[in-house]
Each structure stands twice: as structure tokens, then as C-alpha cells.
Amino acid sequence: MKLYTYFRSSAAYRVRIALNLKGIPYEPVAIHLLKEGGQQRKPEYLALNPAGLVPALDDEGQLLTQSLAIIEYLDETHPEPPLLPADALGRARVRALAQAIACDIHPINNLRVLRYLKHEFGVDDAQKDAWYRHWIEVGLAAVEAMLANDPRTGRFCHGDTPGLADCCLVPQVFNARRFDCKLDAMPTVLRIVEGCEALDAFRAAAPANQPDAE
């Protein structure tokens, strides 16, 4: 497999974690989101992924996009260890947690959104960072409540083995820390992330440990 990735992309980070949890070897192909005007905008990459986003996964010539779709594909084609629960209610809960991050928090703080705020609406860096922190703090507060108030939360987001929701949570908290978000009121989130970061699969996927890290 080839993974088109960028070391600081939280969406690519999710997929790296999933690949590592599954023990699936892959070749990282770095797509720098800032150099050369953004390598994701180059025609050769757009021919692979018309959205011009990372990650994209090439599995023997089959090109997959969108991190959650990629992770579920990996779970279906490499079922051990599972990243989704066996029961329908559990799967719905884990997907809700994952989507609370990947669909509610992440898109409005994506690099292209931040660039648009700065270049089209003229917000300065302080205003841009305040926007970023606000939406992460609001979103993670909701995730904290979903985790803290549910007995199905264990060492990890759902039970005592890491899964799809954990693949999403760790990169989002990494971003939150980069921008000095206030996380003190999120003890369950922080406890789970600490447990994840102790595992080799998560450590190996971390931005600082990627070949294209800067």
C-alpha cells in the first residue's frame, strides 16, 4: 500500500494509526501542503484525488480517499484487530464519536478554511488562532461529555482496546495542544489520549516520527 500523507495532517494521522494498529506495512508518499503552493494542488495529485486533500490510499492500484472511509475499508479487508465493535449500537456510538471530530471539529479548522479566513476576510493571526481554539474547545467539550457520561467508555473511547474513535481523538488533541487550547475540563479525553500515546502504533504515527517531519 501507498499512503499519500502529510506529517501534520490530522486526517492522514488517523489513517497512519489505523494502519499501525492493523500491522499493515505501507509506503508513505509525502504531499507537502505548503511547499510549491501546496503539492496537493498539483495536476498529478489531483488526477489521483480531485478533492486535493490528504490522505489518499493506493491499495494495489485501487485509490481510496477520505480518512474515515479508508479506515473502515481497512477494517473490512483486514478484520484483526477490529476497529469497530461487533454490535450495531456499539458501532453507531464509535462512529458518532469519530464523526464528532472528523465532521464537526476538523473541517472548520482545516488549513484551507484558515487560509480563506486570512486571505479573503482579512483576519489576522490572533483572530485566526482564536477561531481555531474556539471550535476545538467547543467540539472536544462535547466529545468529553459523550465519553464521560457513557459506561461503555473504558481505557479507550469504547472499551479497553483502541478503535476508530481513538484514531480520530489523538490527532485532534495533538492539534489542540499545538494551538494552546484549554483542555483542563476534559479529563476523560486526556486520560484516553495518554493511554493511546503509550502504545507503539500511536507513537509511530505521530507527526514528529514521520519521514517528512519538519
Side-chain angles (χ1 to χ4, degrees):
M1 292 188 184
K2 289 183 181 180
L3 180 67
Y4 295 87
T5 181
Y6 176 61
F7 76 106
R8 232 171 13 216
S9 160
S10 58
Y13 191 174
R14 295 169 199 151
V15 176
R16 295 195 301 262
I17 294 169
L19 286 163
N20 292 344
L21 286 170
K22 295 284 187 183
I24 302 172
Y26 67 94
E27 175 190 347
V29 180
I31 302 295
H32 202 291
L33 302 186
L34 298 174
K35 288 180 179 176
E36 303 172 39
Q39 293 174 349
Q40 74 277 16
R41 297 191 182 94
K42 289 187 170 293
E44 54 268 32
Y45 186 70
L46 291 173
L48 295 173
N49 184 0
L53 299 170
V54 294
L57 183 72
D58 182 339
D59 185 8
E60 296 184 350
Q62 298 297 313
L63 207 288
L64 298 100
T65 62
Q66 293 295 333
S67 62
L68 297 189
I70 292 170
I71 293 171
E72 291 217 27
Y73 167 81
L74 294 172
D75 209 38
E76 292 172 7
T77 56
H78 298 76
E80 295 298 329
L83 299 180
L84 283 162
D87 64 297
L89 281 174
R91 289 194 299 274
R93 176 179 184 254
V94 168
R95 287 179 175 126
L97 286 162
Q99 290 173 27
I101 295 166
C103 302
D104 293 344
I105 303 173
H106 175 245
I108 53 177
N109 285 326
N110 193 277
L111 178 62
R112 61 181 180 171
V113 171
L114 299 178
R115 279 177 164 171
Y116 196 82
L117 287 172
K118 185 170 183 178
H119 297 300
E120 298 297 326
F121 291 100
V123 302
D124 59 27
D125 286 340
Q127 291 170 315
K128 174 173 64 67
D129 290 352
W131 164 283
Y132 194 101
R133 284 191 292 269
H134 171 77
W135 292 115
I136 285 186
E137 289 168 6
V138 167
L140 284 181
V143 171
E144 170 69 24
M146 293 167 72
L147 292 168
N149 298 327
D150 195 312
R152 292 170 291 182
T153 301
R155 288 178 57 211
F156 300 100
C157 287
H158 192 85
D160 293 329
T161 55
L164 172 64
D166 305 281
C167 292
C168 295
L169 182 63
V170 168
Q172 193 60 67
V173 170
F174 169 81
N175 285 344
R177 287 169 169 160
R178 277 186 65 218
F179 282 82
D180 297 321
C181 294
K182 296 176 182 176
L183 303 177
D184 293 345
M186 303 170 197
T188 314
V189 164
L190 294 178
R191 174 183 64 76
I192 291 170
V193 169
E194 182 179 7
C196 289
E197 290 177 337
L199 301 179
D200 289 342
F202 287 83
R203 283 200 297 264
N209 295 326
Q210 302 316 299
D212 58 327
E214 297 175 348

